[in-house]
Amino acid sequence: MTQMRAMSDKPTSFADGFPKATEAQWRARVDAVLKGAPFERLQGRSYDGLSISPLYTRLLEDRPRAVKAGGAGWARLARVDNPDPEAANRQALADLENGATGLHLVFQGAAGAYGFGLPAGREALERALEGVALDVGVPIELDLGPQTIDSSRHLADLIAAAGGDEGNISFGHDPLGQMALTGEAAAPDAAKLAMGLNGRTLVADGRMVHGAGGSEAQELAFVVASALAYLRALEGAGADLAAARSKIGFRLSVDADEILGIAKLRALRRLWARVEEACGLTPAPIHIHAETSFRMMSRRDPWVNILRATVACFSAGLGGADAVTVLPFTQALGLPDDFARRIARNAQAVLLEEANLGRVADPAAGAGSFETLTDALCEAAWALVQETERDGGLHNALASGAFQARIATVQAARARAIAHRKDAITGTSEFPNVAEAPVEVLAPMLAPAPVNALALAPHRDAQAFEALRDLADAQAAENGARRSVFLANLGPVAAFTARSMFAKNLFEAGGIVAPGNEGFADEASLTEAFKASGAAFACICSSDATYEDWGQKAARALVKAGARHIYLAGRPGAAEAAWKEAGVCGFIFAGCDVVAVLNEALRLA
């Protein structure tokens, strides 16, 4: 009996064995670490201007608020985008036999084609789907291009011939999305596209907004405004509103920002529920197809894309996506091979079958960060929807360029943050691998065709740094050796290591090698090593104390030894003029424009 009482007195959970911490206690610990610096230093800000705090409290109301139809779990879609229908068929069957539960049919010219895609025509589609059990309701998402819109009718005919139904099919008609993607000044009648097809005929697709550098709220506003336009068109054609809404699906991009990714998908459900309520309808679950972001993918060190895509898939699933497409990690390099496709397929399988992420309907419910940002995104996106309505609707906002101008403002801010490495890209702008081996693809990515000035063309975040690496590679091929910078490490290891590693990381992000060394105790050994390195320019690295001791003497010695350009790792402060007089030409430090520095370094004589 004594033993039973002792067992019953044990805490019911691990956390119950510890006293509850308060926010005041946490703030006191943080203030001690900050040592007088403002607490706001720990707060981030999204591209919509939303504040992102380091700590949130749990909300009392923790019931699910972003619930999808059919409960937890999501359809694991495999891309079918090989221009060769026979090869596409082989890949599709392999995917379905090895873990995929549905297909994402990507056609040439589609928003998600990324340089490839199935060709137009019934024969090509029929060959690509040969052997696929269309009679058992395999989930299929169509990604249509301007020249392949008839593929929806071809698919419907194939399904009917197989004795299946269209309940799990998203036919993918998106005239407003195509208008945004191509910059064309007119869009087809959405109502006409919906006639004669069952299931989700229209899709409100936000990927082109995300791909062009837009913010989360802008992507949500575009999707809601598109769906609202389609709903009005269907009602104008005589369709009942309750039936019309069931013909509209939704599609979003999700990147490696876990918190904003989950909040974005949850916000979409709330936003559309508000539209339904305004129409006098009882909100019903919507169908959301999420695709991992093409914009976040890099050509350099593409293996990091596996991590990015996994986080994005995680966010999409927990955010409430009904179907998810994971882009293979080599998508930015060209047409992915079977290995890259298998990795993409298995990422979803592991998250669902081993991590069991599909067992909870809305796991973010009640979590302060997710709930707060979901609400904030709803408010920001709704304001943009209202602004678009004042512009005369999305069609007019696109035709005038008003919507594109808002996105361009955000993209410019994003580009600045990337250039200054405020938004770091692992393997590209941070921790680059200059000696990386090439990764195989079935076909290389072709240069994009010129686009209309009003087009929201896809743009990857890594492109500015990739262009620098391409230039460095071309110079290495022409000269027989890669350009290098001599790291003038002054004093003992403890003095120069931090800034030396910073400089090496920075220069190699542009394809300029920066070999390390054990440091130099005097000017003679420094200049001797510089001459032996064969480098045309140098970067002085050490502590502030060492700089005061003999930094400028070292700069003069390097100039005398033949250094044509000298950088200093660190901010010059009040001594800038003295450094320049000693021969230092440029300064590198956290927050500097790295792209500008590397452009200059690659073009030095």
Side-chain angles (χ1 to χ4, degrees):
M1 181 67 71
T2 302
Q3 185 178 9
M4 292 179 65
R5 280 199 300 270
M7 292 179 65
S8 66
D9 291 339
K10 288 184 178 180
T12 57
S13 71
F14 182 78
D16 289 341
F18 297 89
K20 291 186 178 181
T22 66
E23 183 177 352
Q25 290 174 318
W26 181 83
R27 286 292 296 266
R29 294 290 184 92
V30 170
D31 289 341
V33 173
L34 289 175
K35 298 178 180 178
F39 178 77
E40 288 70 26
R41 174 180 291 183
L42 300 180
Q43 293 181 313
R45 192 163 294 277
S46 78
Y47 284 98
D48 290 304
L50 308 181
S51 177
I52 302 175
S53 298
L55 183 70
Y56 293 87
T57 57
R58 176 178 177 177
L59 299 187
L60 295 177
E61 183 187 12
D62 57 358
R63 60 181 177 82
R65 295 200 288 171
V67 181
K68 57 192 175 186
W74 63 85
R76 290 169 268 174
L77 304 185
R79 280 174 64 87
V80 182
D81 61 343
N82 197 307
D84 179 356
E86 289 194 13
N89 176 252
R90 178 185 59 79
Q91 291 173 335
L93 293 177
D95 288 324
L96 291 172
E97 291 169 359
N98 291 280
T101 60
L103 300 175
H104 180 186
L105 305 184
V106 183
F107 292 86
Q108 293 173 1
Y114 311 127
F116 300 97
L118 293 169
R122 179 188 176 99
E123 183 178 344
L125 180 61
E126 188 171 8
R127 180 68 191 94
L129 294 178
E130 185 176 342
V132 176
L134 298 176
D135 57 332
V136 299
V138 175
I140 296 178
E141 293 271 349
L142 268 65
D143 210 341
L144 301 174
Q147 309 304 320
T148 56
I149 57 175
D150 290 339
S151 297
S152 61
R153 169 49 56 195
H154 299 326
L155 178 60
D157 291 343
L158 291 175
I159 292 173
D165 62 59
E166 301 168 4
N168 282 335
I169 308 300
S170 291
F171 287 103
H173 286 289
D174 184 24
L176 287 171
Q178 284 297 323
M179 180 180 178
L181 186 67
T182 63
E184 297 293 330
D189 186 348
K192 290 182 180 179
L193 294 173
M195 299 304 178
L197 293 172
N198 298 319
R200 294 179 298 275
T201 309
L202 297 158
V203 61
D205 190 345
R207 290 174 304 164
M208 58 287 299
V209 174
H210 176 89
S215 67
E216 287 78 15
Q218 288 174 333
E219 185 180 359
L220 287 169
F222 184 89
V223 165
V224 172
S226 294
L228 184 56
Y230 297 153
L231 192 64
R232 286 170 173 158
L234 292 169
E235 183 185 30
D240 175 73
L241 272 181
R245 67 175 172 179
S246 67
K247 286 187 168 293
I248 303 173
F250 298 81
R251 189 174 288 154
L252 293 173
S253 284
V254 185
D255 59 24
D257 190 320
E258 174 194 342
I259 294 179
L260 283 175
I262 292 175
K264 181 168 69 173
L265 267 73
R266 298 177 83 240
L268 176 56
R269 293 192 183 277
R270 295 192 201 173
L271 287 164
W272 189 245
R274 184 170 183 176
V275 172
E276 291 175 303
E277 289 170 348
C279 293
L281 299 170
T282 300
I286 59 175
H287 178 89
I288 301 177
H289 171 211
E291 180 182 85
T292 60
S293 168
F294 181 69
R295 193 190 76 202
M296 73 176 177
M297 303 193 80
S298 62
R299 289 195 292 110
R300 298 292 177 165
D301 202 356
W303 301 98
V304 185
N305 292 330
I306 298 175
L307 303 178
R308 298 185 183 108
T310 301
V311 173
C313 180
F314 174 92
S315 301
L318 296 192
D322 298 276
V324 178
T325 299
V326 174
L327 297 182
F329 76 97
T330 57
Q331 193 75 55
L333 289 165
L335 186 63
D337 63 6
D338 291 348
F339 173 74
R341 294 174 64 86
R342 178 165 65 89
I343 295 295
R345 184 176 66 235
N346 287 349
Q348 298 206 56
V350 169
L351 291 174
L352 275 171
E353 305 297 337
E354 297 187 24
N356 292 299
L357 297 188
R359 293 188 178 276
V360 181
D362 184 16
S369 59
F370 295 109
E371 295 287 16
T372 300
L373 288 173
T374 297
D375 291 342
L377 278 176
C378 284
E379 292 178 9
W382 191 254
L384 291 175
V385 170
Q386 292 175 316
E387 190 172 354
T388 302
E389 289 292 291
R390 287 192 293 270
D391 289 339
L394 185 57
H395 183 280
N396 288 350
L398 290 172
S400 67
F403 200 95
Q404 295 92 322
R406 297 175 196 134
I407 294 171
T409 300
V410 174
Q411 168 55 23
R414 193 183 300 279
R416 287 193 297 272
I418 292 170
H420 290 258
R421 294 200 301 188
K422 179 181 179 182
D423 288 356
I425 306 173
T426 303
T428 300
S429 67
E430 295 276 11
F431 311 112
N433 180 7
V434 177
E436 65 180 302
V439 178
E440 292 185 2
V441 292
L442 297 179
M445 180 72 73
L446 300 176
V451 295
N452 187 301
L454 293 177
L456 292 178
H459 179 95
R460 291 180 299 101
D461 292 338
Q463 285 180 208
F465 281 93
E466 289 170 353
L468 294 169
R469 292 285 295 274
D470 291 345
L471 175 58
D473 289 352
Q475 289 178 344
E478 180 180 354
N479 301 327
R482 187 172 291 278
R483 180 166 291 213
S484 65
V485 56
F486 175 74
L487 296 180
N489 297 324
L490 309 184
V493 171
F496 66 75
T497 295
R499 281 175 170 158
S500 180
M501 291 301 296
F502 172 83
K504 177 180 178 67
N505 192 24
L506 184 148
F507 285 109
E508 293 192 347
I512 302 169
V513 293
N517 54 65
E518 296 182 358
F520 307 96
D522 53 57
E523 297 164 41
S525 61
L526 172 69
T527 54
E528 181 182 356
F530 171 73
K531 292 175 182 178
S533 73
F537 58 104
C539 181
I540 299 174
C541 307
S542 197
S543 64
D544 290 344
T546 304
Y547 285 166
E548 290 181 9
D549 186 19
W550 65 292
Q552 292 171 19
K553 293 179 182 178
R556 294 189 182 94
L558 288 168
V559 171
K560 189 175 181 179
R564 296 197 293 272
H565 197 94
I566 301 174
Y567 291 96
L568 177 77
R571 295 179 182 271
E576 182 174 353
W579 280 111
K580 288 184 175 179
E581 188 276 331
V584 172
C585 306
F587 305 90
I588 60 172
F589 47 85
C592 71
D593 189 336
V594 177
V595 170
V597 169
L598 293 174
N599 261 312
E600 175 190 57
L602 286 168
R603 288 167 172 78
L604 290 173

